[in-house]
């Protein structure tokens, strides 16, 4: 995709979330980029409720929320914090240099693949985490195989037609 001009966000590496660690039960990681204020407080409350709901439904710590404070101050929260918040915010285009940062929520699969940068929508539409574990929207392996098969068949037909045109049989 990068060769086609599409910017692909980097995979999230646990080493960048220092000093936070993850257990093997973790299925979804939420980065909560916070700016002190009422909005961040409300989002933190929603994330806390979602974490509790997912914990109760799935019997364990399958959802990990990590706070990435973009400014000092504000309310102390229950979530672990990451030391590399500013660099992560720039990498995932949550904020831009020279601009005022905004509160944002990103969801990742445990392997570091970005699920969505629109985490606020998940919080609004699914506050109890009923859709957990959310997955990256994309094609299944079966769909990819079908597309490859179709494309190769189309390529063979085009080559055959081109050969016939070269010999005057079209």
């Amino acid at each position: 995709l990068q060769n086609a001009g599409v910017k692909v966000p980097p995979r999230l590496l646990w080493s960048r979330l220092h000093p936070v660690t993850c257990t093997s039960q973790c299925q979804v990681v939420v980065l909560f980029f916070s700016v002190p204020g009422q909005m961040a407080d409300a989002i933190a409350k929603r994330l806390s409720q979602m974490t509790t709901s997912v914990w109760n439904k799935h019997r364990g710590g399958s959802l990990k929320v990590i706070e990435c404070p973009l400014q000092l101050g504000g309310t102390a929260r229950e979530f672990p914090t990451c030391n590399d918040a500013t660099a992560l915010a720039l990498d995932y285009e949550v904020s831009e240099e020279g601009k005022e940062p905004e509160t944002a929520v990103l969801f990742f699969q445990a392997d570091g693949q970005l699920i969505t940068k629109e985490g606020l929508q998940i919080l609004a539409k699914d506050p109890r985490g009923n859709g957990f574990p959310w997955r990256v929207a994309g094609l299944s392996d079966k769909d990819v195989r079908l597309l490859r098969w179709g494309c190769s068949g189309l390529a063979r037909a085009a080559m055959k037609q081109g050969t016939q045109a070269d010999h005057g049989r079209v």
Side-chain angles (χ1 to χ4, degrees), residues 1 30 37 45 71 91 115 123 157 167:
L1 287 173
V30 178
K45 185 176 179 181
Q71 290 179 344
D91 286 352
I115 296 172
L123 282 172
H167 296 314

Side-chain angles (χ1 to χ4, degrees), residues 142-158:
K142 192 175 184 179
D143 291 336
V144 170
R145 285 193 306 272
L146 181 62
L147 280 171
R148 284 185 181 145
W149 176 80
C151 289
S152 65
L154 181 62
R156 282 192 301 276

Side-chain angles (χ1 to χ4, degrees), residues 96-154:
E96 296 177 33
E97 284 189 64
K99 291 195 175 180
E100 195 67 27
E102 295 180 18
T103 297
V105 179
L106 280 63
F107 282 69
F108 292 85
Q109 292 180 170
D111 67 358
Q113 187 171 0
L114 180 67
I115 296 172
T116 183
K117 290 170 66 173
E118 305 298 329
L120 294 175
Q121 289 180 0
I122 289 179
L123 282 172
K125 292 178 183 175
D126 189 12
R128 298 228 182 273
N130 294 326
F132 180 86
W134 307 273
R135 294 287 178 229
V136 174
L139 299 173
S140 69
D141 290 340
K142 192 175 184 179
D143 291 336
V144 170
R145 285 193 306 272
L146 181 62
L147 280 171
R148 284 185 181 145
W149 176 80
C151 289
S152 65
L154 181 62

